[in-house]
Amino acid sequence: MIHRELSSELLFRVNHFPVAAILGPRQVGKTTLVKAIQQELPKESIYFDLEIPSDLAKFSADAEIFLKNLYSQTVILDEIHRLPNIFVLLRGLIDQQREAGRFILLGSASPDLLRNTAESLAGRISYLEMHPLHYREIAPQNYQKHWLWGGFPAVYMAENDKIKSLWLNDFLMSYLERDLPQLGLSVSPLLMRRLLMMLASMQGGILNYSTLANSLGVSQPTVKNAIDFLEQAFLIRRLQPYFTNIGKRLVKSPKIYIRDSGLLHHLLSIKTFENLLGHIVAGGSWEGYIIQEIISMLPQDSLLFYYRSQDGAELDLVIEQGMCIKLAIEIKLSDSPVLSRGNSVSLQDVGNPPLLVVTPSAQDYQLRPNVWVCSVVTLAENLTKFDLNVFALI
């Protein structure tokens, strides 16, 4: 079994908060993680999978009495969105007996979709987001398979491409036909699949709701609502622009990414590494892959943006911590990266932070003053060299 680096951070939260919540896409390994650390919890625990009718039925009669009888144990509730009305009850039980490690909640939707947790358990709950497998969790294996197949554990460990493709087909079908409608999305699964395929073809591009709406034959609010749900279900990411410099004409629309590179390539029918390198989306795919790696290493209060002016000067990523830009990132699908004049202008615009250029496999070196080059293999090590708060590294 692959060790997940979130283990120690989850145990820390369980030991200091009444409720610890692990959120992330389906099949990312949340259940496996919790079961792996059960023996390390500070007290005995009991696990309920709310997608199993017999477990769900235990909460249908008198959930309060049922949970009160489990006061001495850590209660683990998997797929918590199946019990949307339980959060007020949890708050009452915690306030009666406020101690760390009362509950662990697992869910496949963001706090914005699980609004009851944010409203009912404020000050009592600590959220953790679980990502698909990071490169450093499977290192020193070759990054190429990880980039091509993505980080869902069942996909990465699949025996062959056919099993991988079947799994991803079932994964998408489950999300589009069951999970998203249960979370309140009223858009048809067929339309959602078409939207996802269009977003995949735009990987790393500027999001234009009007263009998508016209192509799909629906209204802009419909597209916006659907994308909101996809983001809050951890399938896509909108990277917002950095535009505090009011003296510049800047791009102010978000960039769009399918979060998991394997899901992206499945939507685009990219089967081999050679197909990927020859595909028009290769650069955007590499960019999204590295952004996903970086985000998984940073604490949740970090703010990440891209920067682009109307005349084309840009930076792929700027990282803000503590109200200032700590690091800029350029992501190059080349081991001999060249920076443009626009990159230099953009660095000046955002305050001349250090710049890290991330490549597939270049040796680490300093390109010029305040600019360094690294590879995906040494990315985690390099991030720690800057004045950056880096979270949960193995």
Side-chain angles (χ1 to χ4, degrees), residues 304-365:
L304 285 84
F305 309 93
Y306 78 94
Y307 180 89
R308 181 181 295 177
S309 65
Q310 293 285 3
D311 58 8
E314 65 178 323
L315 292 167
D316 291 329
L317 204 62
V318 290
I319 301 173
E320 180 179 315
Q321 290 181 346
M323 302 295 291
C324 68
I325 298 298
K326 293 292 187 68
L327 182 66
I329 304 281
E330 267 296 295
I331 302 166
K332 302 290 189 182
L333 187 54
S334 167
D335 286 337
S336 302
V338 176
L339 296 182
S340 68
R341 182 178 180 276
N343 294 143
S344 300
V345 170
S346 298
L347 275 174
Q348 293 176 4
D349 290 345
V350 300
N352 284 315
L355 174 65
L356 184 64
V357 183
V358 185
T359 71
S361 54
Q363 295 294 316
D364 291 5
Y365 65 96

Short mmCIF file of all heavy atoms in Angstrom, two decimals, residues 304-365:
data_model
loop_
_atom_site.label_atom_id
_atom_site.label_comp_id
_atom_site.label_asym_id
_atom_site.label_seq_id
_atom_site.Cartn_x
_atom_site.Cartn_y
_atom_site.Cartn_z
N LEU A 304 -3.12 31.22 -4.66
CA LEU A 304 -2.40 31.01 -5.91
C LEU A 304 -3.14 31.68 -7.05
O LEU A 304 -4.38 31.61 -7.14
CB LEU A 304 -2.25 29.51 -6.21
CG LEU A 304 -1.20 28.77 -5.35
CD1 LEU A 304 -1.79 28.36 -4.02
CD2 LEU A 304 -0.67 27.56 -6.09
N PHE A 305 -2.38 32.34 -7.91
CA PHE A 305 -2.93 33.08 -9.04
C PHE A 305 -2.04 32.87 -10.26
O PHE A 305 -0.91 32.38 -10.15
CB PHE A 305 -2.96 34.59 -8.75
CG PHE A 305 -3.62 34.97 -7.45
CD1 PHE A 305 -2.86 35.12 -6.30
CD2 PHE A 305 -4.98 35.20 -7.39
CE1 PHE A 305 -3.45 35.48 -5.09
CE2 PHE A 305 -5.58 35.56 -6.18
CZ PHE A 305 -4.81 35.71 -5.04
N TYR A 306 -2.56 33.24 -11.42
CA TYR A 306 -1.69 33.45 -12.57
C TYR A 306 -1.68 34.95 -12.86
O TYR A 306 -2.52 35.70 -12.34
CB TYR A 306 -2.15 32.66 -13.80
CG TYR A 306 -3.33 33.27 -14.53
CD1 TYR A 306 -3.13 34.12 -15.63
CD2 TYR A 306 -4.65 33.01 -14.15
CE1 TYR A 306 -4.19 34.68 -16.31
CE2 TYR A 306 -5.73 33.57 -14.82
CZ TYR A 306 -5.50 34.41 -15.89
OH TYR A 306 -6.55 34.99 -16.56
N TYR A 307 -0.71 35.40 -13.65
CA TYR A 307 -0.61 36.82 -13.99
C TYR A 307 -0.48 36.95 -15.49
O TYR A 307 0.36 36.29 -16.11
CB TYR A 307 0.61 37.45 -13.30
CG TYR A 307 0.78 38.93 -13.60
CD1 TYR A 307 0.17 39.89 -12.80
CD2 TYR A 307 1.54 39.36 -14.69
CE1 TYR A 307 0.32 41.25 -13.08
CE2 TYR A 307 1.68 40.71 -14.98
CZ TYR A 307 1.07 41.65 -14.16
OH TYR A 307 1.20 42.99 -14.45
N ARG A 308 -1.32 37.80 -16.07
CA ARG A 308 -1.20 38.05 -17.52
C ARG A 308 -1.74 39.43 -17.83
O ARG A 308 -2.84 39.80 -17.42
CB ARG A 308 -1.99 37.01 -18.31
CG ARG A 308 -1.88 37.21 -19.83
CD ARG A 308 -2.68 36.19 -20.61
NE ARG A 308 -2.16 34.86 -20.43
CZ ARG A 308 -2.71 33.75 -20.97
NH1 ARG A 308 -3.79 33.87 -21.72
NH2 ARG A 308 -2.17 32.57 -20.76
N SER A 309 -0.95 40.21 -18.56
CA SER A 309 -1.41 41.52 -19.02
C SER A 309 -2.01 41.38 -20.40
O SER A 309 -1.83 40.37 -21.09
CB SER A 309 -0.24 42.51 -19.04
OG SER A 309 0.73 42.12 -20.01
N GLN A 310 -2.73 42.43 -20.84
CA GLN A 310 -3.39 42.38 -22.14
C GLN A 310 -2.39 42.32 -23.29
O GLN A 310 -2.71 41.86 -24.38
CB GLN A 310 -4.30 43.61 -22.31
CG GLN A 310 -5.49 43.64 -21.37
CD GLN A 310 -6.60 42.67 -21.78
OE1 GLN A 310 -6.44 41.92 -22.75
NE2 GLN A 310 -7.68 42.66 -21.05
N ASP A 311 -1.14 42.74 -23.03
CA ASP A 311 -0.14 42.68 -24.10
C ASP A 311 0.67 41.39 -24.09
O ASP A 311 1.66 41.25 -24.80
CB ASP A 311 0.79 43.88 -24.05
CG ASP A 311 1.52 44.01 -22.72
OD1 ASP A 311 1.40 43.08 -21.89
OD2 ASP A 311 2.18 45.04 -22.51
N GLY A 312 0.26 40.42 -23.25
CA GLY A 312 0.85 39.08 -23.31
C GLY A 312 1.91 38.77 -22.28
O GLY A 312 2.38 37.63 -22.21
N ALA A 313 2.32 39.72 -21.46
CA ALA A 313 3.29 39.42 -20.40
C ALA A 313 2.60 38.54 -19.36
O ALA A 313 1.48 38.82 -18.93
CB ALA A 313 3.79 40.72 -19.76
N GLU A 314 3.28 37.45 -18.93
CA GLU A 314 2.59 36.53 -18.05
C GLU A 314 3.54 35.74 -17.17
O GLU A 314 4.74 35.63 -17.43
CB GLU A 314 1.72 35.56 -18.85
CG GLU A 314 2.50 34.62 -19.75
CD GLU A 314 1.58 33.66 -20.50
OE1 GLU A 314 0.59 33.19 -19.91
OE2 GLU A 314 1.87 33.37 -21.67
N LEU A 315 2.95 35.18 -16.10
CA LEU A 315 3.58 34.19 -15.23
C LEU A 315 2.55 33.09 -15.00
O LEU A 315 1.37 33.37 -14.78
CB LEU A 315 4.00 34.81 -13.89
CG LEU A 315 5.14 35.81 -13.93
CD1 LEU A 315 5.23 36.56 -12.60
CD2 LEU A 315 6.47 35.11 -14.23
N ASP A 316 3.00 31.84 -15.03
CA ASP A 316 2.06 30.73 -14.87
C ASP A 316 1.45 30.68 -13.48
O ASP A 316 0.29 30.30 -13.31
CB ASP A 316 2.76 29.40 -15.18
CG ASP A 316 3.11 29.26 -16.65
OD1 ASP A 316 2.37 29.80 -17.49
OD2 ASP A 316 4.12 28.62 -16.96
N LEU A 317 2.22 31.06 -12.48
CA LEU A 317 1.74 30.93 -11.10
C LEU A 317 2.46 31.94 -10.22
O LEU A 317 3.67 32.12 -10.34
CB LEU A 317 2.02 29.51 -10.58
CG LEU A 317 1.17 28.96 -9.45
CD1 LEU A 317 -0.29 28.86 -9.85
CD2 LEU A 317 1.69 27.58 -9.03
N VAL A 318 1.70 32.60 -9.36
CA VAL A 318 2.29 33.40 -8.29
C VAL A 318 1.66 32.92 -6.98
O VAL A 318 0.45 32.67 -6.92
CB VAL A 318 2.09 34.92 -8.48
CG1 VAL A 318 2.92 35.42 -9.64
CG2 VAL A 318 0.63 35.27 -8.69
N ILE A 319 2.49 32.76 -5.96
CA ILE A 319 2.04 32.19 -4.69
C ILE A 319 2.11 33.27 -3.63
O ILE A 319 3.16 33.84 -3.36
CB ILE A 319 2.92 31.00 -4.29
CG1 ILE A 319 2.88 29.92 -5.38
CG2 ILE A 319 2.46 30.43 -2.95
CD1 ILE A 319 3.86 28.77 -5.14
N GLU A 320 0.96 33.53 -3.03
CA GLU A 320 0.86 34.54 -1.99
C GLU A 320 0.67 33.88 -0.63
O GLU A 320 -0.22 33.04 -0.45
CB GLU A 320 -0.31 35.49 -2.27
CG GLU A 320 -0.48 36.59 -1.22
CD GLU A 320 -1.63 37.52 -1.54
OE1 GLU A 320 -1.74 37.94 -2.71
OE2 GLU A 320 -2.42 37.83 -0.62
N GLN A 321 1.50 34.23 0.31
CA GLN A 321 1.35 33.82 1.70
C GLN A 321 1.65 35.03 2.58
O GLN A 321 2.58 35.77 2.30
CB GLN A 321 2.30 32.67 2.06
CG GLN A 321 1.95 31.34 1.41
CD GLN A 321 2.89 30.22 1.81
OE1 GLN A 321 3.95 30.45 2.37
NE2 GLN A 321 2.49 28.98 1.53
N GLY A 322 0.86 35.20 3.63
CA GLY A 322 1.10 36.31 4.54
C GLY A 322 0.98 37.67 3.87
O GLY A 322 1.76 38.57 4.16
N MET A 323 0.02 37.79 2.94
CA MET A 323 -0.29 39.07 2.28
C MET A 323 0.81 39.57 1.35
O MET A 323 0.84 40.74 1.00
CB MET A 323 -0.58 40.15 3.34
CG MET A 323 -1.73 39.83 4.27
SD MET A 323 -3.32 39.72 3.41
CE MET A 323 -3.56 41.44 2.98
N CYS A 324 1.72 38.68 0.92
CA CYS A 324 2.72 39.11 -0.06
C CYS A 324 3.07 37.94 -0.98
O CYS A 324 2.91 36.78 -0.61
CB CYS A 324 3.97 39.67 0.61
SG CYS A 324 4.94 38.45 1.50
N ILE A 325 3.54 38.28 -2.18
CA ILE A 325 3.95 37.26 -3.15
C ILE A 325 5.30 36.69 -2.72
O ILE A 325 6.30 37.40 -2.64
CB ILE A 325 4.04 37.86 -4.57
CG1 ILE A 325 2.67 38.37 -5.03
CG2 ILE A 325 4.57 36.80 -5.54
CD1 ILE A 325 1.61 37.31 -5.13
N LYS A 326 5.33 35.40 -2.42
CA LYS A 326 6.55 34.76 -1.95
C LYS A 326 7.36 34.13 -3.08
O LYS A 326 8.58 34.03 -3.00
CB LYS A 326 6.20 33.68 -0.92
CG LYS A 326 5.62 34.20 0.38
CD LYS A 326 6.67 34.97 1.16
CE LYS A 326 6.19 35.36 2.54
NZ LYS A 326 6.00 34.23 3.46
N LEU A 327 6.65 33.67 -4.14
CA LEU A 327 7.35 32.92 -5.19
C LEU A 327 6.53 32.99 -6.48
O LEU A 327 5.30 32.95 -6.45
CB LEU A 327 7.53 31.46 -4.77
CG LEU A 327 8.29 30.54 -5.73
CD1 LEU A 327 9.76 30.97 -5.85
CD2 LEU A 327 8.20 29.09 -5.27
N ALA A 328 7.24 33.10 -7.60
CA ALA A 328 6.61 32.99 -8.92
C ALA A 328 7.08 31.69 -9.56
O ALA A 328 8.19 31.21 -9.29
CB ALA A 328 6.98 34.18 -9.80
N ILE A 329 6.23 31.11 -10.38
CA ILE A 329 6.53 29.82 -11.02
C ILE A 329 6.30 29.96 -12.53
O ILE A 329 5.26 30.49 -12.97
CB ILE A 329 5.61 28.70 -10.48
CG1 ILE A 329 5.72 28.57 -8.96
CG2 ILE A 329 5.89 27.39 -11.19
CD1 ILE A 329 6.92 27.82 -8.47
N GLU A 330 7.23 29.47 -13.31
CA GLU A 330 7.02 29.26 -14.74
C GLU A 330 7.13 27.77 -15.00
O GLU A 330 8.04 27.10 -14.48
CB GLU A 330 8.06 30.02 -15.57
CG GLU A 330 7.63 31.41 -16.00
CD GLU A 330 6.44 31.38 -16.95
OE1 GLU A 330 6.58 30.85 -18.07
OE2 GLU A 330 5.37 31.89 -16.57
N ILE A 331 6.24 27.23 -15.80
CA ILE A 331 6.16 25.80 -16.04
C ILE A 331 6.45 25.56 -17.52
O ILE A 331 5.71 26.02 -18.40
CB ILE A 331 4.77 25.25 -15.66
CG1 ILE A 331 4.49 25.56 -14.18
CG2 ILE A 331 4.68 23.76 -15.94
CD1 ILE A 331 3.05 25.38 -13.77
N LYS A 332 7.55 24.86 -17.80
CA LYS A 332 8.02 24.68 -19.17
C LYS A 332 8.10 23.20 -19.52
O LYS A 332 8.70 22.41 -18.78
CB LYS A 332 9.41 25.31 -19.35
CG LYS A 332 9.49 26.80 -19.01
CD LYS A 332 8.75 27.65 -20.02
CE LYS A 332 9.02 29.13 -19.80
NZ LYS A 332 8.28 30.00 -20.75
N LEU A 333 7.52 22.82 -20.66
CA LEU A 333 7.62 21.45 -21.15
C LEU A 333 8.89 21.33 -22.00
O LEU A 333 8.86 20.97 -23.17
CB LEU A 333 6.37 21.07 -21.94
CG LEU A 333 6.25 19.61 -22.38
CD1 LEU A 333 6.39 18.66 -21.20
CD2 LEU A 333 4.94 19.38 -23.11
N SER A 334 10.00 21.69 -21.39
CA SER A 334 11.30 21.65 -22.06
C SER A 334 12.37 21.61 -21.00
O SER A 334 12.24 22.26 -19.96
CB SER A 334 11.49 22.90 -22.94
OG SER A 334 12.84 23.02 -23.36
N ASP A 335 13.42 20.86 -21.24
CA ASP A 335 14.53 20.82 -20.31
C ASP A 335 15.57 21.89 -20.60
O ASP A 335 16.62 21.96 -19.94
CB ASP A 335 15.19 19.43 -20.33
CG ASP A 335 14.33 18.39 -19.62
OD1 ASP A 335 13.51 18.79 -18.77
OD2 ASP A 335 14.48 17.19 -19.92
N SER A 336 15.29 22.73 -21.61
CA SER A 336 16.16 23.87 -21.91
C SER A 336 15.28 25.13 -21.93
O SER A 336 15.04 25.73 -23.00
CB SER A 336 16.86 23.69 -23.25
OG SER A 336 17.64 22.51 -23.27
N PRO A 337 14.77 25.53 -20.78
CA PRO A 337 13.78 26.61 -20.74
C PRO A 337 14.39 27.96 -21.09
O PRO A 337 15.54 28.25 -20.76
CB PRO A 337 13.29 26.59 -19.29
CG PRO A 337 14.45 26.05 -18.51
CD PRO A 337 15.09 25.03 -19.42
N VAL A 338 13.60 28.77 -21.78
CA VAL A 338 13.98 30.14 -22.13
C VAL A 338 12.89 31.06 -21.62
O VAL A 338 11.70 30.84 -21.87
CB VAL A 338 14.14 30.31 -23.65
CG1 VAL A 338 14.45 31.76 -23.99
CG2 VAL A 338 15.23 29.38 -24.18
N LEU A 339 13.28 32.09 -20.90
CA LEU A 339 12.31 33.06 -20.39
C LEU A 339 12.13 34.19 -21.40
O LEU A 339 13.08 34.64 -22.04
CB LEU A 339 12.78 33.63 -19.05
CG LEU A 339 12.89 32.63 -17.89
CD1 LEU A 339 13.31 33.35 -16.62
CD2 LEU A 339 11.58 31.89 -17.69
N SER A 340 10.91 34.65 -21.54
CA SER A 340 10.61 35.75 -22.46
C SER A 340 10.75 37.09 -21.76
O SER A 340 10.83 37.17 -20.53
CB SER A 340 9.17 35.61 -22.97
OG SER A 340 8.25 35.82 -21.90
N ARG A 341 10.76 38.13 -22.56
CA ARG A 341 10.77 39.47 -21.99
C ARG A 341 9.51 39.69 -21.16
O ARG A 341 9.54 40.37 -20.13
CB ARG A 341 10.87 40.51 -23.11
CG ARG A 341 10.93 41.94 -22.58
CD ARG A 341 11.07 42.97 -23.72
NE ARG A 341 11.12 44.32 -23.18
CZ ARG A 341 10.05 45.04 -22.88
NH1 ARG A 341 8.84 44.52 -23.01
NH2 ARG A 341 10.18 46.28 -22.39
N GLY A 342 8.39 39.10 -21.62
CA GLY A 342 7.15 39.23 -20.87
C GLY A 342 7.24 38.63 -19.47
O GLY A 342 6.63 39.14 -18.52
N ASN A 343 7.98 37.52 -19.34
CA ASN A 343 8.19 36.95 -18.01
C ASN A 343 8.91 37.94 -17.10
O ASN A 343 8.55 38.12 -15.93
CB ASN A 343 9.01 35.67 -18.10
CG ASN A 343 8.32 34.53 -18.82
OD1 ASN A 343 8.95 33.76 -19.54
ND2 ASN A 343 7.01 34.40 -18.65
N SER A 344 9.94 38.60 -17.63
CA SER A 344 10.71 39.56 -16.83
C SER A 344 9.86 40.76 -16.44
O SER A 344 9.91 41.24 -15.30
CB SER A 344 11.93 40.03 -17.63
OG SER A 344 12.77 38.93 -17.96
N VAL A 345 9.05 41.26 -17.39
CA VAL A 345 8.17 42.38 -17.09
C VAL A 345 7.15 41.99 -16.02
O VAL A 345 6.88 42.76 -15.09
CB VAL A 345 7.44 42.85 -18.37
CG1 VAL A 345 6.34 43.86 -18.05
CG2 VAL A 345 8.44 43.44 -19.36
N SER A 346 6.61 40.78 -16.13
CA SER A 346 5.62 40.32 -15.16
C SER A 346 6.22 40.20 -13.77
O SER A 346 5.58 40.53 -12.77
CB SER A 346 5.04 38.97 -15.60
OG SER A 346 4.36 39.09 -16.83
N LEU A 347 7.46 39.71 -13.69
CA LEU A 347 8.13 39.62 -12.38
C LEU A 347 8.24 40.99 -11.74
O LEU A 347 8.00 41.15 -10.53
CB LEU A 347 9.52 39.00 -12.55
CG LEU A 347 9.61 37.48 -12.56
CD1 LEU A 347 11.03 37.05 -12.88
CD2 LEU A 347 9.17 36.89 -11.23
N GLN A 348 8.58 41.99 -12.51
CA GLN A 348 8.66 43.35 -11.98
C GLN A 348 7.29 43.82 -11.51
O GLN A 348 7.16 44.46 -10.46
CB GLN A 348 9.21 44.30 -13.05
CG GLN A 348 10.65 44.04 -13.43
CD GLN A 348 11.12 44.95 -14.56
OE1 GLN A 348 10.40 45.82 -15.01
NE2 GLN A 348 12.35 44.72 -15.04
N ASP A 349 6.25 43.49 -12.28
CA ASP A 349 4.90 43.93 -11.93
C ASP A 349 4.44 43.38 -10.58
O ASP A 349 3.70 44.04 -9.86
CB ASP A 349 3.90 43.49 -13.01
CG ASP A 349 4.08 44.25 -14.31
OD1 ASP A 349 4.75 45.30 -14.30
OD2 ASP A 349 3.53 43.80 -15.34
N VAL A 350 4.88 42.15 -10.25
CA VAL A 350 4.41 41.53 -9.00
C VAL A 350 5.41 41.68 -7.87
O VAL A 350 5.28 41.02 -6.83
CB VAL A 350 4.03 40.04 -9.22
CG1 VAL A 350 2.93 39.90 -10.25
CG2 VAL A 350 5.25 39.21 -9.62
N GLY A 351 6.42 42.52 -8.05
CA GLY A 351 7.32 42.83 -6.95
C GLY A 351 8.65 42.11 -6.94
O GLY A 351 9.33 42.06 -5.91
N ASN A 352 9.02 41.50 -8.07
CA ASN A 352 10.31 40.80 -8.19
C ASN A 352 10.53 39.71 -7.14
O ASN A 352 11.58 39.66 -6.47
CB ASN A 352 11.47 41.80 -8.14
CG ASN A 352 11.62 42.56 -9.44
OD1 ASN A 352 11.58 41.97 -10.52
ND2 ASN A 352 11.78 43.87 -9.34
N PRO A 353 9.59 38.79 -6.99
CA PRO A 353 9.85 37.64 -6.11
C PRO A 353 10.82 36.68 -6.80
O PRO A 353 11.07 36.80 -8.00
CB PRO A 353 8.46 37.00 -5.97
CG PRO A 353 7.81 37.28 -7.29
CD PRO A 353 8.30 38.67 -7.68
N PRO A 354 11.36 35.70 -6.07
CA PRO A 354 12.14 34.65 -6.73
C PRO A 354 11.28 33.93 -7.77
O PRO A 354 10.06 33.81 -7.60
CB PRO A 354 12.54 33.72 -5.59
CG PRO A 354 12.34 34.51 -4.35
CD PRO A 354 11.25 35.49 -4.62
N LEU A 355 11.91 33.45 -8.81
CA LEU A 355 11.22 32.71 -9.86
C LEU A 355 11.79 31.31 -9.95
O LEU A 355 13.01 31.14 -10.07
CB LEU A 355 11.36 33.41 -11.22
CG LEU A 355 10.78 32.67 -12.43
CD1 LEU A 355 9.27 32.52 -12.32
CD2 LEU A 355 11.15 33.38 -13.73
N LEU A 356 10.92 30.31 -9.90
CA LEU A 356 11.31 28.91 -10.07
C LEU A 356 10.72 28.40 -11.38
O LEU A 356 9.50 28.47 -11.59
CB LEU A 356 10.81 28.07 -8.89
CG LEU A 356 11.21 26.60 -8.88
CD1 LEU A 356 12.73 26.46 -8.76
CD2 LEU A 356 10.52 25.86 -7.74
N VAL A 357 11.57 27.90 -12.25
CA VAL A 357 11.14 27.37 -13.54
C VAL A 357 11.12 25.84 -13.43
O VAL A 357 12.16 25.22 -13.16
CB VAL A 357 12.09 27.81 -14.67
CG1 VAL A 357 11.59 27.30 -16.02
CG2 VAL A 357 12.23 29.33 -14.69
N VAL A 358 9.95 25.24 -13.63
CA VAL A 358 9.79 23.80 -13.44
C VAL A 358 9.76 23.11 -14.79
O VAL A 358 8.95 23.44 -15.66
CB VAL A 358 8.50 23.48 -12.65
CG1 VAL A 358 8.42 21.98 -12.35
CG2 VAL A 358 8.44 24.28 -11.36
N THR A 359 10.64 22.14 -14.98
CA THR A 359 10.78 21.39 -16.23
C THR A 359 10.53 19.90 -15.97
O THR A 359 10.44 19.48 -14.82
CB THR A 359 12.20 21.55 -16.80
OG1 THR A 359 13.12 20.83 -15.95
CG2 THR A 359 12.61 23.02 -16.84
N PRO A 360 10.43 19.09 -17.01
CA PRO A 360 10.29 17.65 -16.78
C PRO A 360 11.49 17.01 -16.10
O PRO A 360 11.34 16.29 -15.12
CB PRO A 360 10.08 17.09 -18.19
CG PRO A 360 9.51 18.23 -18.98
CD PRO A 360 10.20 19.45 -18.43
N SER A 361 12.70 17.26 -16.58
CA SER A 361 13.84 16.51 -16.03
C SER A 361 15.18 17.23 -16.10
O SER A 361 16.23 16.60 -16.04
CB SER A 361 13.97 15.15 -16.75
OG SER A 361 14.05 15.33 -18.16
N ALA A 362 15.16 18.56 -16.19
CA ALA A 362 16.43 19.30 -16.21
C ALA A 362 17.14 19.19 -14.87
O ALA A 362 16.50 19.08 -13.81
CB ALA A 362 16.17 20.77 -16.55
N GLN A 363 18.45 19.22 -14.89
CA GLN A 363 19.22 19.30 -13.65
C GLN A 363 18.97 20.66 -13.00
O GLN A 363 18.79 21.66 -13.68
CB GLN A 363 20.71 19.12 -13.94
CG GLN A 363 21.08 17.74 -14.47
CD GLN A 363 20.86 16.65 -13.43
OE1 GLN A 363 21.22 16.82 -12.26
NE2 GLN A 363 20.31 15.54 -13.86
N ASP A 364 19.00 20.69 -11.67
CA ASP A 364 18.82 21.96 -10.96
C ASP A 364 19.99 22.90 -11.26
O ASP A 364 21.15 22.49 -11.21
CB ASP A 364 18.76 21.72 -9.45
CG ASP A 364 17.49 21.00 -9.02
OD1 ASP A 364 16.70 20.62 -9.91
OD2 ASP A 364 17.27 20.86 -7.81
N TYR A 365 19.66 24.15 -11.56
CA TYR A 365 20.72 25.15 -11.73
C TYR A 365 20.11 26.55 -11.63
O TYR A 365 18.88 26.71 -11.71
CB TYR A 365 21.45 24.99 -13.07
CG TYR A 365 20.61 25.24 -14.31
CD1 TYR A 365 20.62 26.49 -14.95
CD2 TYR A 365 19.84 24.23 -14.87
CE1 TYR A 365 19.88 26.72 -16.10
CE2 TYR A 365 19.08 24.45 -16.01
CZ TYR A 365 19.10 25.70 -16.62
OH TYR A 365 18.35 25.92 -17.76
#
